[in-house]
Amino acid sequence: MKTIYLIRHAKSGWNQPDTRDFERALSKRGKKDLNTIGSYLALRGIKPDVILSSCALRAQQTADILSQKINSDSKKYYLKELYLSSLEEMKEIIMAQESSVKTIFLVGHNPQLHELANSFIDEHINKLPTLGIVAIDFDISDWSEIEDVKGKLDFFIFPKQFKYYMPRQIRGFVS
C-alpha cells in the first residue's frame, strides 16, 4: 500500500506587485491555515517518508511549515520540475520514487495538482483550493505502477472546512 498527499501551497501574498510569481511568499492567512491543517495532520499521525515540493517560494514555505508542524524529519526535495509542470512530468517524478517509500507529500500548484488528483481517482474534485489536501491510497508495491491503476480517495480537506467548526482536539492543539 502506498499513499500520496497532493497538497496545494498555502495562500500567498499579492501585496508586492513587482514580485515575480515564483518568488511570492505566504500571506498571514496562509500561515494561519498551515497551523490548522498541520494540527489536523499531526493529530492523525500522518508523516511522509519523503516530501516533494515545487521550488517556488510559497510551496517551499508550505512544505517546511507543514513538516515542522507534524514533527517530520522526512527528506525534502525542492524540484523546479514541479513548478508549471505537466501532468505527465508530475507522474514521472512520483513513479521514480523508491519502492521503500510508502508515503509522499507532493506540494505544488494548480491547475496541475487538481488535474493530477482527478486522474488518480474515480471521484471528481471540482476545485482544489489553497492548502487543499487530497490523500489517495494505492494498492501497489512500487510507485511505477500508479500509471496503470486508480487510487482510493482517503480524504480531501481544505482550510475553510475548519472556518466555522473546528473540532475540540484541533482547537486545543493549534498553537
Side-chain angles (χ1 to χ4, degrees):
M1 181 70 76
K2 308 278 188 199
T3 304
I4 190 163
Y5 297 85
L6 302 176
I7 305 169
R8 184 175 174 199
H9 63 80
K11 189 84 171 155
S12 59
W14 289 93
N15 53 352
Q16 297 178 337
D18 58 338
T19 301
R20 291 183 17 220
D21 178 67
F22 189 78
E23 298 166 345
R24 283 189 297 119
L26 295 180
S27 66
K28 286 181 185 177
R29 182 175 137 207
K31 291 175 183 174
K32 180 181 177 213
D33 289 345
L34 273 163
N35 198 32
T36 301
I37 295 297
S39 295
Y40 174 86
L41 295 175
L43 283 170
R44 287 202 53 185
I46 296 170
K47 289 189 181 186
D49 296 318
V50 68
I51 298 172
L52 306 172
S53 175
S54 160
C55 56
L57 180 58
R58 60 194 179 276
Q60 287 186 46
Q61 290 176 318
T62 298
D64 291 344
I65 293 170
L66 268 184
S67 181
Q68 290 170 4
K69 190 68 182 171
I70 63 173
N71 294 316
S72 173
D73 57 357
S74 307
K75 290 183 182 178
K76 280 185 242 165
Y77 300 96
Y78 305 107
L79 307 170
K80 64 181 177 183
E81 295 86 359
L82 290 176
Y83 180 71
L84 303 178
S85 57
S86 72
L87 193 60
E88 291 310 312
E89 289 171 316
M90 289 196 307
K91 283 184 178 181
E92 286 174 16
I93 290 168
I94 296 165
M95 292 186 323
Q97 300 309 303
E98 295 178 14
S99 59
S100 61
V101 171
K102 302 283 185 218
T103 307
I104 297 173
F105 276 15
L106 193 149
V107 183
H109 311 272
N110 266 357
Q112 295 87 352
L113 280 182
H114 178 242
E115 293 169 3
L116 186 62
N118 283 326
S119 76
F120 281 155
I121 56 176
D122 286 327
E123 297 86 355
H124 181 77
I125 294 171
N126 289 327
K127 179 183 178 186
L128 183 59
T130 52
L131 202 51
I133 300 178
V134 181
I136 304 169
D137 295 323
F138 291 92
D139 189 12
I140 57 175
S141 57
D142 193 271
W143 287 105
S144 63
E145 300 172 52
I146 63 165
E147 196 166 42
D148 302 322
V149 299
K150 287 285 187 178
K152 181 178 183 289
L153 180 66
D154 181 14
F155 66 80
F156 171 37
I157 61 167
F158 48 93
K160 284 190 179 179
Q161 289 174 308
F162 300 99
K163 184 175 181 180
Y164 298 107
Y165 173 74
M166 186 178 299
R168 185 172 30 87
Q169 297 91 338
I170 294 176
R171 265 197 320 268
F173 200 82
V174 173
S175 54

